[in-house]
Amino acid sequence: MNPIRTSRHVANVTYAVRDVAVWAQAAAAAGRSLISLNIGDPCLFDFKTPEHVIEAIVRGLRANKTSYTASEGTPQALAAIRRDAEDRKGIRDIRYMLIGHGASEPIEILLTALLNEGESVLVPQPGYPLYQAVLAKLGVEAIPYDLDEANDWQPNPAELGAKIKPGTRALVLINPNNPTGSVSSKRILEELLEVAARHELVVLSDEIYDRMILDDDVTHVATASLRSDVPIATFAGLSKVWLGPGLRLGWCILSGPDAVTAPLAAAMGQLARARLCASHPVQCAVPAALEGPQDHIREVQHKLRRRRDITVEQLARIPGFSLVPPHGAFYAFPRVEFPISDIDLVRGLIEHTGVVLVHGTGFGQKQGTKHVRIVFLPQEPLLVEAYEKIRDYCRTL
Ligand code: PLP
């Protein structure tokens, strides 16, 4: 029998964050101790899923909430998501909601339900690589649009509009952004929605970090609160704001005119039914998370703010690094200028210092520029140690 022939779509599926882990494992096997600034998982550091969220899951398990649920989710979890979307986020005209395995699954279900081979989708560059990975799998073209580093990493609506061509179906917004930590202003969002309305694009608004805002003068605006004549899919979940990435629970809220969104909602429903449902006991945590105590959010913001400030201060002291300070999430995306590629920089750092970053190429970056992504979740002494090691290594380049 011949070796198994695999799908040609897989060749284009990459995910730099996990690729780096392979290099890190090799360094660890060779005896190097690692400082991991590569994975956006708060629970690897001094952040814990809130007790009342865990309790709700345990209670669910004890009450035998282990059957399948409706494909979209339990009525209680869906009702809590709707209340939060309407009351806190200001989203109206909700037409469809889907709870899935992390935010990742509803994102994949929506893209699969929407797109056909040969079509295209606008994705932010830099941006979270899941979108490119799913589009590659679907045989759909990702059209990168640049976030402008000179303008606080904001998208440029006119530049983005000029990239639209026949067959462009959707616009992906990631706000706050991974990897830049930038937060989009209301004005920019309104301009982007105007472009989407003019070209009949479906807007995917990834708001998984919406309550991780690090500055008092920065406000997160839910894209879908701004217009109800544009179909907008808002994504969120328990992974980041509720410090439970391994719970694997997220959701999609589809809003917009009923007649416009109905076919997409129906197609998503078909795909949702084929995969049965999300974890039943974990869905029991959704009302507790959204409507229970929210004290942890202030504590998380406080820690992240301090760690962001340390990152800004420390990177300013490393020749070759320049950083646009992040305002949200827990990522910094400094520009690096050294006579080696960003990939070689990341590999060199792992090999010689044990500090693990991710190369900017993994998120997309404007041609001719080089960056690295830093996760600034670790406690302060470890962060400072990492920055000192980076500085010492970069002196040798
Ligand atoms: N969207 C963004 C912007 C992310 O950064 C991540 C994870 O890092 C996800 C989606 C995936 O979320 P989940 O863990 O809920 O699948």
Side-chain angles (χ1 to χ4, degrees), residues 15 18 39-50 53-54 57 100-105 128 178 208-209 212 236-250 279 282 296 300 330-331 375 377:
Y15 195 82
R18 298 261 162 164
I39 298 185
D41 184 343
C43 299
L44 297 178
F45 304 96
D46 60 332
F47 298 89
K48 269 190 69 211
T49 314
V53 172
I54 292 176
I57 299 170
H101 187 78
S104 304
E105 191 195 34
Y128 182 59
N178 173 4
I208 190 105
Y209 300 99
M212 289 177 148
L238 299 183
S239 293
K240 312 291 175 171
V241 174
W242 283 278
L243 307 170
L247 297 176
R248 306 310 302 131
L249 198 113
S279 159
V282 183
H296 75 283
V300 167
F330 37 70
Y331 305 105
V375 171
L377 286 168

Side-chain angles (χ1 to χ4, degrees), residues 12 101 145 156 174 181 258 295 307 365:
N12 298 322
H101 187 78
Y145 66 86
N156 179 326
I174 304 175
D258 197 17
D295 311 330
R307 293 170 200 189
Q365 52 196 350

Side-chain angles (χ1 to χ4, degrees), residues 247-271:
L247 297 176
R248 306 310 302 131
L249 198 113
W251 52 84
C252 169
I253 302 159
L254 180 63
S255 58
D258 197 17
V260 175
T261 53
L264 180 58
M268 288 177 74
Q270 260 173 282
L271 292 175

Side-chain angles (χ1 to χ4, degrees), residues 249-315:
L249 198 113
W251 52 84
C252 169
I253 302 159
L254 180 63
S255 58
D258 197 17
V260 175
T261 53
L264 180 58
M268 288 177 74
Q270 260 173 282
L271 292 175
R273 289 195 287 282
R275 77 13 155 174
L276 300 174
C277 66
S279 159
H280 191 168
V282 183
Q283 289 187 61
C284 297
V286 173
L290 292 173
E291 295 172 343
Q294 306 290 307
D295 311 330
H296 75 283
I297 293 180
R298 210 150 12 139
E299 198 185 313
V300 167
Q301 277 174 341
H302 178 75
K303 281 186 189 172
L304 291 181
R305 207 170 280 181
R306 180 82 196 108
R307 293 170 200 189
R308 185 271 315 267
D309 292 346
I310 287 173
T311 301
V312 171
E313 279 159 33
Q314 292 282 327
L315 292 187

Side-chain angles (χ1 to χ4, degrees), residues 76-378:
Q76 295 82 357
L78 289 167
I81 291 167
R82 178 183 283 273
R83 282 192 293 271
D84 181 65
E86 290 176 344
D87 301 346
R88 186 178 62 82
K89 289 172 84 75
I91 302 177
R92 295 170 307 277
D93 301 307
I94 297 174
R95 306 299 179 188
Y96 181 73
M97 290 183 294
L98 171 63
I99 298 175
H101 187 78
S104 304
E105 191 195 34
I107 290 169
E108 178 155 8
I109 287 180
L110 184 139
L111 292 171
T112 309
L114 176 70
L115 297 159
N116 286 302
E117 238 168 302
E119 294 180 330
S120 57
V121 173
L122 288 155
V123 295
Q125 165 170 282
Y128 182 59
L130 169 70
Y131 294 91
Q132 305 256 16
V134 174
L135 295 173
K137 211 163 78 172
L138 295 172
V140 170
E141 183 192 359
I143 305 178
Y145 66 86
D146 287 320
L147 304 184
D148 183 1
E149 192 167 8
N151 182 26
D152 222 6
W153 287 116
Q154 296 292 324
N156 179 326
E159 227 174 81
L160 170 159
K163 297 197 161 199
I164 295 170
K165 53 187 187 183
T168 304
R169 302 286 317 286
L171 164 62
V172 175
L173 308 176
I174 304 175
N175 179 34
N177 181 266
N178 173 4
T180 62
S182 53
V183 179
S184 295
S185 68
K186 182 167 178 251
R187 185 182 57 78
I188 295 254
L189 290 173
E190 282 169 342
E191 286 176 29
L192 292 170
L193 287 174
E194 188 53 40
V195 174
R198 210 174 322 127
H199 295 275
E200 298 205 0
L201 303 180
V202 175
V203 176
L204 282 75
S205 191
D206 184 331
E207 301 180 12
I208 190 105
Y209 300 99
D210 69 346
R211 297 173 80 178
M212 289 177 148
I213 301 294
L214 309 178
D215 293 296
D216 292 334
D217 59 346
V218 174
T219 313
H220 180 267
V221 177
T223 310
S225 70
L226 298 175
R227 265 180 102 139
S228 31
D229 61 336
V230 177
I232 302 172
T234 305
F235 298 97
L238 299 183
S239 293
K240 312 291 175 171
V241 174
W242 283 278
L243 307 170
L247 297 176
R248 306 310 302 131
L249 198 113
W251 52 84
C252 169
I253 302 159
L254 180 63
S255 58
D258 197 17
V260 175
T261 53
L264 180 58
M268 288 177 74
Q270 260 173 282
L271 292 175
R273 289 195 287 282
R275 77 13 155 174
L276 300 174
C277 66
S279 159
H280 191 168
V282 183
Q283 289 187 61
C284 297
V286 173
L290 292 173
E291 295 172 343
Q294 306 290 307
D295 311 330
H296 75 283
I297 293 180
R298 210 150 12 139
E299 198 185 313
V300 167
Q301 277 174 341
H302 178 75
K303 281 186 189 172
L304 291 181
R305 207 170 280 181
R306 180 82 196 108
R307 293 170 200 189
R308 185 271 315 267
D309 292 346
I310 287 173
T311 301
V312 171
E313 279 159 33
Q314 292 282 327
L315 292 187
R317 297 173 51 211
I318 308 179
F321 276 65
S322 55
L323 174 67
V324 176
H327 303 295
F330 37 70
Y331 305 105
F333 199 62
R335 188 157 178 170
V336 290
E337 278 165 279
F338 296 104
I340 56 173
S341 72
D342 56 352
I343 296 177
D344 287 343
L345 177 62
V346 166
R347 292 190 90 143
L349 277 167
I350 292 173
E351 224 169 274
H352 295 280
T353 71
V355 176
V356 189
L357 308 181
V358 184
H359 42 288
T361 341
F363 305 93
Q365 52 196 350
K366 196 169 183 164
Q367 243 194 340
T369 67
K370 290 181 275 191
H371 299 79
V372 288
R373 188 188 75 170
I374 298 174
V375 171
F376 54 79
L377 286 168

